[in-house]
Amino acid sequence: MLKHVLLLTLMAVLSAPAFGEPPRIIFDTDITGDVDDVLALTMCHTLADRGACELLGVTISKTNPLTASFVDAQNTFYGRPDLVIGVTRDATAQKRESKYLKLAESADYPHDLRNNDPAREAVDLLRELLAAHPDHSVSIISVGIASNMANLLKSKPDAHSSLDGPALIRQKVKLLSIMAGAFAFANNTNYHLEANVINGVGFMQTVAEQWPEQVPIVWSGYEIGEALPFPRRNINEDLNYRSHHIVKEAYLLHSGPQHDRPCWDQSSVLYAVFPDRDYFGLSSTGRVSVAADGFTRFSPTSKQGQLSQRDRFLTVTPTQRARVLEAIVQLTLQPPAK
Ligand SMILES: [Ca+2]
């Protein structure tokens, strides 16, 4: 009898997923100006190909007529031609020129979506995706301005859910992994005003002030990506398994062949998918506030007044830095599964 119970227990242990369910992720990007968004989206695909996460969809937070078309081209390149895409239609979201989105118009990258008009509205798509998945199961990776996150917070009950934005987030979101701000001496100053904040200060203030207390935010500050320069050599030499590679061409159009572009956005992807693998360290808990000039101030939880435990920011030691960079590089170079 005891033997039988032990056998059943062993079978249960072996059939359970070793590290729990892979995270469900939504990638919220301002894929226009910088190219780290392109590399970060590639990581979402290659991590999903490995079964490390489930990629639910992509939402775009800045305005350019080719954003959705480019994302569709990249999704198609990585074997997910039907992955849902939402774009912001907020007239106050930053409009941005791009050096690489024109690749969407190249015959080398076939795909369906030719412009943004047929794409979904981002907040409507976010609400649908959140409503469709189990409670506390969705990790949102936000690596641009916070237009979509702010507008999700302001959203009202609709056909997808009877909950307003904050209640829907409280019920469905497990984590917001966000690349924004600066929390250390960076760029030769202890007062670095980071682009994802200053290109939409009001949006980031809404997130900092109104995101539900119960749903953790982990901030990847400017200093994290700055410590992780993507090796140009890997772009030049290791993406030649296709005669035309959308990541290689986008990188070269943006940064040229002589630049190691910092991995700002990739850091938030890696943390969201592997929060327990010690790729990064974490600050104490506390609260981030966003000043009118875009400065991000972290105030630790203390008994002397600051009681919020919602926010933490990433840290990285030299040993972690080496591991993180190696993981990001390999995930970026990994060919599409199909
Ligand atoms: Ca970005």
Short mmCIF file of all heavy atoms in Angstrom, two decimals, residues 120 124 127-128 131-132 156-163 168:
data_model
loop_
_atom_site.label_atom_id
_atom_site.label_comp_id
_atom_site.label_asym_id
_atom_site.label_seq_id
_atom_site.Cartn_x
_atom_site.Cartn_y
_atom_site.Cartn_z
N ARG A 120 -5.97 46.18 -34.55
CA ARG A 120 -6.86 46.44 -33.41
C ARG A 120 -6.42 47.69 -32.66
O ARG A 120 -5.25 48.06 -32.68
CB ARG A 120 -6.82 45.25 -32.45
CG ARG A 120 -7.37 43.95 -33.04
CD ARG A 120 -8.88 43.92 -33.00
NE ARG A 120 -9.38 44.10 -31.64
CZ ARG A 120 -9.52 43.11 -30.76
NH1 ARG A 120 -9.22 41.88 -31.09
NH2 ARG A 120 -9.99 43.35 -29.54
N ASP A 124 -8.40 48.14 -26.41
CA ASP A 124 -9.46 47.16 -26.64
C ASP A 124 -8.86 45.74 -26.69
O ASP A 124 -9.40 44.80 -26.10
CB ASP A 124 -10.18 47.49 -27.95
CG ASP A 124 -11.36 46.57 -28.19
OD1 ASP A 124 -12.28 46.54 -27.36
OD2 ASP A 124 -11.36 45.86 -29.22
N ARG A 127 -7.67 44.65 -23.18
CA ARG A 127 -8.81 44.24 -22.34
C ARG A 127 -9.33 42.87 -22.74
O ARG A 127 -9.64 42.03 -21.89
CB ARG A 127 -9.93 45.29 -22.40
CG ARG A 127 -9.57 46.60 -21.70
CD ARG A 127 -10.76 47.56 -21.70
NE ARG A 127 -11.93 46.97 -21.09
CZ ARG A 127 -12.22 47.01 -19.79
NH1 ARG A 127 -11.42 47.64 -18.95
NH2 ARG A 127 -13.30 46.41 -19.32
N GLU A 128 -9.38 42.61 -24.05
CA GLU A 128 -9.85 41.29 -24.51
C GLU A 128 -8.90 40.19 -24.06
O GLU A 128 -9.32 39.15 -23.57
CB GLU A 128 -9.99 41.28 -26.03
CG GLU A 128 -10.50 39.93 -26.54
CD GLU A 128 -10.62 39.87 -28.06
OE1 GLU A 128 -11.06 40.86 -28.65
OE2 GLU A 128 -10.26 38.83 -28.62
N ALA A 131 -9.15 39.65 -20.25
CA ALA A 131 -10.41 39.01 -19.86
C ALA A 131 -10.43 37.53 -20.22
O ALA A 131 -11.07 36.72 -19.54
CB ALA A 131 -11.58 39.74 -20.51
N ALA A 132 -9.69 37.17 -21.30
CA ALA A 132 -9.76 35.80 -21.81
C ALA A 132 -8.86 34.81 -21.06
O ALA A 132 -8.93 33.61 -21.32
CB ALA A 132 -9.39 35.80 -23.30
N LYS A 156 -12.98 51.79 -19.31
CA LYS A 156 -14.27 51.52 -18.65
C LYS A 156 -14.73 50.10 -18.98
O LYS A 156 -14.24 49.49 -19.93
CB LYS A 156 -15.32 52.51 -19.17
CG LYS A 156 -14.92 53.97 -19.00
CD LYS A 156 -14.96 54.39 -17.55
CE LYS A 156 -14.57 55.85 -17.38
NZ LYS A 156 -13.82 56.09 -16.14
N PRO A 157 -15.70 49.60 -18.23
CA PRO A 157 -16.29 48.29 -18.57
C PRO A 157 -16.77 48.28 -20.01
O PRO A 157 -17.24 49.30 -20.53
CB PRO A 157 -17.47 48.18 -17.59
CG PRO A 157 -17.09 49.04 -16.43
CD PRO A 157 -16.28 50.18 -17.02
N ASP A 158 -16.63 47.12 -20.66
CA ASP A 158 -17.02 47.00 -22.07
C ASP A 158 -17.49 45.58 -22.36
O ASP A 158 -17.75 44.81 -21.42
CB ASP A 158 -15.83 47.40 -22.98
CG ASP A 158 -14.61 46.52 -22.74
OD1 ASP A 158 -14.73 45.52 -22.00
OD2 ASP A 158 -13.53 46.84 -23.29
N ALA A 159 -17.58 45.23 -23.63
CA ALA A 159 -18.07 43.90 -24.00
C ALA A 159 -17.14 42.79 -23.51
O ALA A 159 -17.56 41.65 -23.31
CB ALA A 159 -18.22 43.82 -25.52
N HIS A 160 -15.85 43.11 -23.30
CA HIS A 160 -14.90 42.09 -22.87
C HIS A 160 -15.00 41.80 -21.37
O HIS A 160 -14.79 40.69 -20.93
CB HIS A 160 -13.46 42.53 -23.19
CG HIS A 160 -13.24 42.87 -24.62
ND1 HIS A 160 -13.51 41.99 -25.64
CD2 HIS A 160 -12.81 44.01 -25.23
CE1 HIS A 160 -13.24 42.56 -26.80
NE2 HIS A 160 -12.82 43.79 -26.58
N SER A 161 -15.27 42.84 -20.59
CA SER A 161 -15.27 42.68 -19.14
C SER A 161 -16.12 43.75 -18.48
O SER A 161 -16.15 44.90 -18.94
CB SER A 161 -13.83 42.77 -18.61
OG SER A 161 -13.83 42.86 -17.19
N SER A 162 -16.76 43.37 -17.39
CA SER A 162 -17.56 44.35 -16.64
C SER A 162 -16.69 45.15 -15.67
O SER A 162 -17.21 45.99 -14.94
CB SER A 162 -18.65 43.60 -15.86
OG SER A 162 -18.04 42.70 -14.96
N LEU A 163 -15.40 44.88 -15.67
CA LEU A 163 -14.49 45.57 -14.74
C LEU A 163 -13.88 46.79 -15.41
O LEU A 163 -13.59 46.79 -16.61
CB LEU A 163 -13.36 44.62 -14.31
CG LEU A 163 -13.81 43.32 -13.62
CD1 LEU A 163 -12.60 42.43 -13.36
CD2 LEU A 163 -14.54 43.62 -12.32
N LEU A 168 -9.68 45.28 -13.61
CA LEU A 168 -9.28 44.22 -14.55
C LEU A 168 -7.79 43.88 -14.37
O LEU A 168 -7.41 42.70 -14.36
CB LEU A 168 -9.56 44.68 -15.99
CG LEU A 168 -9.33 43.66 -17.10
CD1 LEU A 168 -10.25 42.45 -16.96
CD2 LEU A 168 -9.54 44.31 -18.48
#
